[in-house]
Structure formats: structure tokens, C-alpha cells
Amino acid sequence: MNQHDPEISAAAAVGDLNDVASAPGRNHGGIQSVDIGMTVLRALAQAKGPMSLKEIGAACAMAPSKAHRYLHSLVAGGLVAQQRRSGKYDLGMFALRLGASAIRRIDVVNRVSDHLEDLVDQLQMPAHIAIWTHEGPIAVRWQRTPSSLISPDVLGSVFPLLRSATGNVFLSHLPERMTHSLVAAEIQKESELENPIDVDVAEITRKVREQGYAMAVGTFVPHYVGLAAPVINWDDEICAAVTIVARTARDPQQRLAAAAHLRTFCKNMSAATR
């Protein structure tokens, strides 16, 4: 928590320690503090970005000092994170993991997951399934090989649109209105790097759509190649991406063969969702 946040100091001066304002659902027989904590989480989930303490208080109809006490517990539990510089709050990694766990119960993810182990066995490459969120593509299922060196902590990871194969696939199949703000932020970050990559969104989109898959060679994880392909639903929209990972040392012809296999796999999964 940012102990030097001026809003926290101001809220403490107000002093609402005796505030017993009702939270939604207070009389349902549950625990009031949990109800209030859920109100705070709901406000953060519905926001377009990080929120200040004052904004959270206003959204939850409670004094900032009261909101601060709940935020303190939520940060400690990983459900909320506080930015160091601005002091603003946003959903934390544990909240993302909870969301990922819920998403895994979605039918299309379950259908693809049922066949993911076979794909990994056939290619001897680890693989993951990712879906789209307001933060970008996030991994919700991971299948590793016995010899895989990549950590299963990839679950809950958010992938960049420009540097990762997973991101390239979503970038190429989603409407621009859904990706433009994330793309702009990534382009800005690239301009600040010592070794930026060339960014041509139109070319990325053209190539991915033409090939039926995306390939990222060492741009996201050094010494690794990511190969990703889309799963398309009945509305002809991308609903998931399947990505396989290989070391850059692997024979380029093996990569192409794996990419073709992955493309066929995702086409079959797409057909199964229709």
C-alpha cells in the first residue's frame, strides 16, 4: 500500500470509523464486510482503468477512509493491486486468476482443453489456451510436456499484442476498436526500449490471416518460438487462441510442420464450436 497517498491522509482526517452504511445484500444473512468488499471489487471491475481512492469511494457510495480499509485487505489478499507512482488501484493478479478459473468452465475452453493433451503429445511441445480480456489475451489453460522447462505459472499471464504470437492472433482477428488502446500503449513502450521491434499492425494482420497462424521468434520470451492459431466461433469471431512453444534451436522445418498441425487442430476445434 502507498502510505504517502495524499487521499489516504485526507480520508483519515474525515474519520468515519463508526460508519455503518449498508452494503448491497446486507440483510441476506451473509457477512456484511464481505458484501462491502465485493462492492469495491465490482467498482474496479467495471472501471475502464485504475481508480483513485476518491473515485472508488464515490463509486461505492462510501467515505474514502472506509474504502481504504477494505482496499488494504483486498491488496493483502492479491485481489487488488496499488500502483506505486500514482497510488491508484486496480484488480490484482489473484483476481485475474479467479477470472481465469471461471473462464476455464466456459464450454469452448473446456472443449479445446479436452484435446490439448493430445496436441502436446503429438508435437512434444507445451501449449496453452488464451482468451480475450480487457487487459489483453490471458492464458487460462496450460499443458506441458514431461521435459518442458517453461513454468506452469504462465496461467493468468497477459500477453502483449505486438511481441507474442498469442497477441498477434487476437490483434489480427478482433475489431480495431477493441485493441487500439492496448496497441497504442505497446507502441509507446517500444519507443522507449533500447532494442524496439518493428511495428506494422497492418502487416501483422495480413500475414496472420494469410497463414492461418502467428509466429513470434524470441520477441516475447528469449530463445523460444511461439506459434498460435485462432479458434473461431459460430459468429465467425475469435473466441480463443491455442499457442505452442518451442526452442529457437529447433529445426525451422519442424516449426513449419508444427504450425500446420496447429492450424488444422484449431480449424477442427472451430468447427466443433459451431
Side-chain angles (χ1 to χ4, degrees), residues 15 87 98 139 161 200 202 206:
L98 282 177
L161 297 182
D200 188 335
R206 183 199 66 76

Side-chain angles (χ1 to χ4, degrees), residues 26-37:
R26 179 181 177 182
N27 297 319
H28 60 47
I31 301 173
Q32 182 184 1
S33 60
V34 174
D35 292 336
I36 299 174

Side-chain angles (χ1 to χ4, degrees), residues 6-82:
E7 289 188 322
I8 293 176
S9 300
V14 173
D16 72 328
L17 295 179
N18 295 318
D19 185 354
V20 290
S22 297
R26 179 181 177 182
N27 297 319
H28 60 47
I31 301 173
Q32 182 184 1
S33 60
V34 174
D35 292 336
I36 299 174
M38 291 300 297
T39 301
V40 173
L41 286 173
R42 190 174 294 110
L44 287 168
Q46 294 174 347
K48 295 182 179 180
M51 301 175 73
S52 67
L53 179 61
K54 186 176 182 180
E55 290 170 334
I56 293 171
C60 300
M62 67 176 72
S65 58
K66 181 176 181 179
H68 175 238
R69 296 199 303 277
Y70 284 92
L71 286 165
H72 184 84
S73 294
L74 292 169
V75 169
L79 287 166
V80 171
Q82 186 179 25

